[in-house]
Amino acid sequence: MHRYQAIRAELLRRINNQTWPAGHVIPHEEELATSFGVARGTIRRALGSLVDAGLLERKRRAGTRVARPTAHASTLRIAVVRHEVEARGGSYGYRLIESREGGGELDAGGRFGGAALRRVLCLHCCDGSPFQLEDRLLNLAAIPAAREANFAAISPNEWLVAEQPYSAVRTVLRAAAPSADDLVHLAVGASQPVFVIERQTRLLGEPLTWARLSHPGAAFEIVTEAGGY
Amino acid sequence: MHRYQAIRAELLRRINNQTWPAGHVIPHEEELATSFGVARGTIRRALGSLVDAGLLERKRRAGTRVARPTAHASTLRIAVVRHEVEARGGSYGYRLIESREGGGELDAGGRFGGAALRRVLCLHCCDGSPFQLEDRLLNLAAIPAAREANFAAISPNEWLVAEQPYSAVRTVLRAAAPSADDLVHLAVGASQPVFVIERQTRLLGEPLTWARLSHPGAAFEIVTEAGGY
DNA sequence: AAGTGGTCTAGACCACCGC
DNA sequence: CGGTGGTCTAGACCACTTG
């Protein structure tokens, strides 16, 4: 175990003990460094992960205090859908349903400011059963290569992930009743829930794509892990 | 803008440009430090956030390469339900439905290994309408104070975040049809979806609590943001 | 065996913000 | 204004793992 890990465990123990209750201002970095007998950088590293986890709050001049917890953070990973299927031990299938180019009329949410777009609707299957319906808008101004891509052969999901880096993403998760497209292509009944993932990606501020990914609710869940120490 | 941020933006540009395509091994740290004219630590900081975002992969001796992306990480924050309601501009209401102590017979999933437990079922409301049904198991061996807590006055959710730190959490998200309890207490119809959050927290390896939090699907969504640069 | 990333140090200076 | 966290440096040594 590294020193910063040992120090983090000890700090965690003090928070748990109520040695440092919520709201308490803990010693400043140099004091901690002296008392643990390490350099200030090592203390900063130990504190950093506790700040990221939401257990500590830091302000210049005011110091570091134990957070009155309001929210706890965990990490969400959303994989390429083919990998998701294969990780479940299923065989992956893919089918393009529709692909067309257009302008702002496709951009119901006004997310792309009138740029030229391409809309792709396609279906990902697991062992022959519908697994995810992908409804995607691509910003052709930002991703010109998307105009020529053959989405009958490769899904936009996978093409993008191979071709197009992004620097920021916004994800919305919800449970919903099936949309009209879901009813047709996802083989769910009107009374069955679907799990909807909406994602918008940007590269250095410019919107790249927006997608609505819907799963039959009974067949899908997301697992996240956080902390681990 | 700090130097590590400027360097991160430049690295991101090279990844996007295909200057460094997926799979490419990028220069090692000391070379980057020399070419950017900064110390190695500054390069490490710039690389670190790109590794966390899943854009780069690093291995000793093998070097740093541009990831063939399989999954991208984003951060999920789940707040105290009262704050969630208030953030939506609603008025918060709370009602205890049931609370009792017992042993392993409550622990359907076998998560607590037969420890003494307390089960609490309660309802959180937004503007008088059911917002979240909370079904929780508390490990009394790990949290003895939970035996005496008055969950008619404060919800277990809020009591726990105020009293009980944890070091690791596992979260499962899914869309589901309503459970029997959901139908009774959440005022949803059998054909409406519910959004289910399952959480299990541990402190230094010991399981503390397990909870099933269900929301009427139409009234709830989770938003995450990642990257931002 | 050697080269890479991972950890740690001891120090400097800066920027913000509460006193 | 002063004290805190935030950034950065130049260096050392370690540990892993691949060629």
Side-chain angles (χ1 to χ4, degrees), chain B residues 174-191:
Chain B
R174 70 168 75 89
S179 71
D181 283 333
D182 292 333
L183 287 172
V184 172
H185 299 111
L186 224 43
V188 294
S191 67

Side-chain angles (χ1 to χ4, degrees), chain A residues 2-4 37-42 45 59-62:
Chain A
H2 297 289
R3 294 193 202 190
Y4 77 91
V38 300
R40 189 181 153 213
T42 304
R45 175 128 190 213
K59 262 188 274 186
R60 280 179 161 114
R61 171 74 188 179

Side-chain angles (χ1 to χ4, degrees), chain A residues 29-217:
Chain A
E29 294 180 348
E30 294 200 43
E31 196 172 330
L32 288 170
T34 306
S35 68
F36 280 105
V38 300
R40 189 181 153 213
T42 304
I43 293 293
R44 281 189 63 74
R45 175 128 190 213
L47 292 173
S49 55
L50 296 175
V51 171
D52 288 344
L55 292 172
L56 295 176
E57 289 172 343
R58 323 193 70 188
K59 262 188 274 186
R60 280 179 161 114
R61 171 74 188 179
T64 301
R65 65 177 58 218
V66 178
R68 304 189 181 282
T70 59
H72 286 276
S74 58
T75 297
L76 176 70
R77 300 198 135 251
I78 296 185
V80 173
V81 60
R82 180 168 59 80
H83 298 160
E84 186 81 25
V85 167
E86 288 166 354
R88 288 158 195 256
S91 75
Y92 174 74
Y94 169 73
R95 183 164 62 86
L96 177 65
I97 297 169
E98 182 191 324
S99 169
R100 64 193 175 93
E101 289 188 30
E105 79 279 1
L106 296 174
D107 182 15
R111 297 174 188 87
F112 295 98
L117 298 176
R118 181 170 179 184
R119 187 227 187 191
V120 179
L121 183 68
C122 56
L123 185 67
H124 305 268
C125 296
C126 175
D127 289 332
S129 308
F131 180 74
Q132 179 191 87
L133 183 67
E134 174 178 355
D135 186 353
R136 187 177 290 273
L137 296 176
L138 299 131
N139 180 351
L140 296 176
I143 322 172
R147 198 184 295 270
E148 310 299 336
N150 175 14
F151 292 133
I154 183 173
S155 78
N157 179 322
E158 204 149 344
W159 183 86
L160 281 162
V161 122
E163 300 286 330
Q164 182 61 50
Y166 61 85
S167 59
V169 58
R170 177 188 158 92
T171 306
V172 179
L173 308 173
R174 70 168 76 91
S179 70
D181 282 334
D182 291 335
L183 287 171
V184 173
H185 298 110
L186 223 44
V188 294
S191 67
Q192 294 176 274
V194 294
F195 191 100
V196 177
I197 304 169
E198 264 184 42
R199 312 201 86 186
Q200 180 160 20
T201 59
R202 295 192 305 273
L203 180 64
L204 302 174
E206 186 174 31
L208 296 175
T209 92
W210 173 91
R212 178 186 187 273
L213 312 171
S214 53
H215 295 81

Side-chain angles (χ1 to χ4, degrees), chain B residues 2-4 37-42 45 59-62:
Chain B
H2 297 289
R3 293 193 205 188
Y4 77 90
V38 299
R40 189 182 152 212
T42 304
R45 175 133 191 207
K59 264 187 273 185
R60 281 179 161 114
R61 168 78 185 180

